Amino acid sequence: MELALDLARRGGSAVSPNPKVGCLLVKNGKIIGQGYHQEYGGPHAEVMALRDAVTDPVGATAYVTLEPCCIYGKTPPCTKALIKSGVTEVFAAMRDPNPGVDGKGLSILNNNGMRVTAGILEEKAAELNKGYLKWIFEGKPWVIAKAAVSADDYLGYNSWSQTWLTGEKSRTKVHRLRSAVDAVLIGRQTALVDNPRLTVRNCSGKNPIRVVADTHCKLPLTLNLFRDQQADTIVLCSETNLEETLTSYCRYIPVKEINGRLDPEQILQKLGQLGVTMLLIEGGRLMLNSFFEKDLIDEIYLFRSEQHLGKAELVNPLQLTENWAVKNRLTLGNDELTIAQKRKLKCLQE
């Protein structure tokens, strides 16, 4: 199952909003086939493993990281393929909470004479697909907040100038993080000051959807987000200003306002409706704080520099209290990265 999970990770964000799934076929103590879900709309892991089989899979055991699907979607049910193949036993890391599946796939296999066991490395499988699980349960994406801070805990000197804090290794890590999510969110001021591309450049991977919150639709169309055509761009604006509109350079999506700012809760609902299961917030202090104070962030990536800024204005709003569990600490050149998850969301299936 560990090997199957390693296979599943290869799917990355290319499979979203489907889950990342890997499958191994074992016969007479040897792996005879392996596969993983490679892209949304493409063959599922079980089918890829069966195609890869170097010998007849009759009598083989399948190790799959998620309950085989039993519904017709963009591809036929994997349960049908497994039954037809002659596989006699299936180990699944976890059940699929999709209401169309949710135990039905395992029951179908069992009713067709297969031995079925679920719950093998379940926690690891749930962590791998935390975005998919939250999307299924709540209709909203898993939210990662990323911030680069100085040694004295500032995001920068002020909100109208750019402050570079971290080094090349940290920037590469951010690009890898972008490649693992469906969308990246920034605010209007970050778009104006930084004029970012929000693409994946320091590593290989798929560019995420670029989302910018621009309440009154005042951003200049000369920004990279609108001109470079490197990725899809969404502008979130006040529902009092504009109806949903699709242009050649971006898509405008209306969101309700609360106290003059776009409602963070509805931002997540709107993005969830678009199939966004993993969202990275790279915005400035106001954007980060608007989600943090409403308890809408699931995971934090905090890049800490050796630099001291002294008399700066932008205090870091992402404070790791006892409500957060530190999952990892990494040294990236002269920077330190702390990765933390909100404790109460540790086990989404519960």
Side-chain angles (χ1 to χ4, degrees), residues 134 141-145 268 279-281 291 296-300:
K134 187 179 178 187
W142 178 272
V143 180
I144 302 172
L268 297 184
L279 174 68
L280 174 63
I281 301 177
F291 281 83
L296 296 174
I297 295 172
D298 303 305
E299 191 169 6
I300 290 174

Side-chain angles (χ1 to χ4, degrees), residues 275-295:
V276 173
T277 66
M278 295 283 286
L279 174 68
L280 174 63
I281 301 177
E282 289 198 44
R285 184 180 183 281
L286 287 177
M287 174 68 72
L288 292 169
N289 190 58
S290 68
F291 281 83
F292 189 75
E293 68 179 1
K294 290 188 176 295
D295 199 28

Side-chain angles (χ1 to χ4, degrees), residues 84-98:
K84 184 178 179 181
S85 73
V87 167
T88 55
E89 188 168 19
V90 174
F91 288 94
M94 62 180 290
R95 282 171 55 167
D96 185 348
N98 183 330

Side-chain angles (χ1 to χ4, degrees), residues 157-218:
Y157 285 108
N158 51 56
S159 61
W160 60 87
S161 64
Q162 201 174 32
T163 306
W164 286 102
L165 291 171
T166 54
E168 187 64 29
K169 289 186 177 180
S170 290
R171 288 193 284 274
T172 297
K173 184 69 174 179
V174 171
H175 282 249
R176 290 200 184 102
L177 187 54
R178 285 178 188 169
S179 74
V181 301
D182 304 325
V184 177
L185 171 65
I186 62 171
R188 178 178 181 274
Q189 194 64 17
T190 298
L192 277 175
V193 173
D194 295 348
N195 191 19
R197 297 184 184 278
L198 301 180
T199 53
V200 177
R201 299 185 300 279
N202 290 6
C203 61
S204 61
K206 178 184 175 183
N207 287 330
I209 300 168
R210 304 177 295 195
V211 185
V212 57
D214 182 20
T215 306
H216 304 295
C217 298
K218 291 185 176 181

Side-chain angles (χ1 to χ4, degrees), residues 19 24 55 61 64 81 100 106 171 181 238 264 292 296 308 320 346:
L24 284 175
T55 189
T61 298
V64 60
L106 297 175
R171 288 193 284 274
V181 301
S238 171
F292 189 75
L296 296 174
H308 288 76
L320 300 180
K346 182 179 179 182

Side-chain angles (χ1 to χ4, degrees), residues 11-51:
S13 63
V15 305
S16 187
N18 282 351
K20 295 182 278 288
V21 184
C23 180
L24 284 175
L25 297 176
V26 177
K27 187 174 181 179
N28 298 325
K30 295 182 179 180
I31 296 173
I32 63 167
Q34 58 184 22
Y36 66 97
H37 188 30
Q38 297 184 9
E39 60 180 352
Y40 178 66
H44 289 188
E46 298 90 328
V47 173
M48 296 296 286
L50 290 168
R51 289 180 181 177

